[in-house]
Amino acid sequence: MKLRWFTTSMLVGLSLMAAAHAQTDPLTPTGKWTAHQTGQAQTPPMGWNSFNAFRIEVSEDKVMGAAEALVDTGLAKLGYVYVNIDDGWWLKRRQTDGRLEIRTSIFPSAAIKGKDTSFKPFTDRLHRMGLKAGIYSEIGRNACSQAWDLKSPNLPEGTVAEREVGLEGHVDQDLKLFFTDWGFDYIKIDACGVADYTANAKVITTPGYRVREPLIARDRPALDKAEDLKAMYVEVADSLRKYNPDNDYVLSICSWGRADVRTWGKDVGNLWRTSYDINPTWGSMLHSFDSAVTRPLYAGPGRWNDPDMLFVGKGDFDVNHLTEAKSHFALWAMLNAPLLIGYDLRGAPKDLIDIWGNADLVAVNQDKGGHQAVLAYRSNDVQILVKTLSNGKKAVALFNRSEAAKTVSLTARDLKFDAAKPIGLRNLWSKETLPAFTGSQRFTLGAHETLVFEAEGTHRLGQGTYLSEIPGRINVAADGIPFPEGDPHIYQATRASAGRGGDTPMYAGWGGAQADASPYGTELTVGEKAFAYGIGVLSGSRMEVQANGEYRRFVASVGVDAATRNRKAAVTFQIYGDGRLLTESKPVTYGDAAADLTADVSGVRVVELIVRANKDAAVATAWGDARFEK
Ligand code: GAL
């Protein structure tokens, strides 16, 4: 009797444990699409933000000036509708009830009758103009300006507690204020409060703020506390849903590529910064660009990599450097980056308006498929990016990063077009249509020039689609990275503010899933065979793919990739359809030839691609030529 009781309770215990494991094991197929889906960001947000134009010296005049210019120039009609206030708006946190107060000396319309201040008159005005309004806050207790702009006239004032204007400890209260009471539609949430207020920091020892244990360890990224930071943003995301039953909001996570946000951002917010702040230099633009360009599989409708706001109009991208300005803009369009203008729009020259106002490039960025461009060709000098458009065509950018003219061939293979059939190109800057070519076509790019075309041709698969052409329909639910490592391929620009050159790799995600490349950026190779196309991903991974019942078969050649660091462990590839195992490979190890897998996916909505290793081993693997056929 006693024994039986023991056995039963043990079995119950074990099955509870198994259930818990199934819930937490990231490789368990869900049969569902699990990426974050709320908020208004089916296409990348577009608009204006005060920071690159004015840093902390924001004011109502400046912001309304930008808003009026967006309407008057026609940019608003093109989609530039978010008018976002950045750091600098706050005065203090009132101690009687914790309510935030606005600095009315710079936002006069916020001085309403009574004891409170309110942004409602301001957001009402923007809404009446057909625009949307964005606010800025901080995930910790103290803001970035309080650590980095100590001479700004717009720093919060008062006691230590009054100057704690960030969300920590006030998430619900502040989000209700911003969205329900003040009527904002967008929020950017920074993270200096959990990075810069460490015990020995100057801001602590001199002006006097409360010490906050860092979750982002500025110079030692390996010490970042990703789970803790993620939990703070999850709390915000939950609260936003609560105070926005109409779903009219955007959550922008600003932890500068740190604390592994390039991996989890898509599960929590609508956009997440992939790097530190851009500044108006060519090297900084390269750095920001690189932080997003290898991450197309992590973005898609509702969730976007954010290489930071545009610096078109300033420094290396000013009116005297239109080649650079146009490159910067075209690249952001191809990356599906948010298009947030960072320029004083009151009296902007026509040459700049024409850049932001290039309707063809805006359409590329806003294409409803949401497929971020994929690198078709990589070198240190020239890169070719190809982006799938929902009209069956491709956008292609030929980008010369270098200081000298370069000649490069664009090939049918880059475009995944049939090399024997004619390919047509339309230049999206000059609007000129080029004579059709077959096979390949040579171009000479000036220093820093980006040529960008809409390309039309015959797909080499006929009716099929390579998975690497539809990254917006892929959710990397688990990418198998065993511990976060900084991506070493990101251009390390000299940062004048740091007083020294470069940075060590800061942005975790090295080894993540890649389109048409191994997880380490090399050509996909299994055994003796190289694959121009496919998905490279570590073992311990699960990808969800929206098939939406549109395809008949899924086909791939799978195996361990030559780039693997682990040459011993065996891996198994599994294909699930709506939660049901469709087919799986035998265990394979490094050196084995690619194994062909085919699955019938007729009627299947979500295909899941899982790679398991027999140990806790991170094995680089390839889903070579992974494709759907009709
Ligand atoms: C930085 C952020 C910038 C800007 C600034 C304001 O951390 O990355 O985009 O918001 O803070 O102080």
Side-chain angles (χ1 to χ4, degrees), residues 117 461 504 516 611:
T117 55
L461 289 179
T504 52
D516 294 340
V611 190

Side-chain angles (χ1 to χ4, degrees), residues 20-36:
H21 181 70
Q23 264 170 19
T24 51
D25 176 10
L27 298 197
T28 305
T30 61
K32 282 195 227 115
W33 177 256
T34 63
H36 167 80

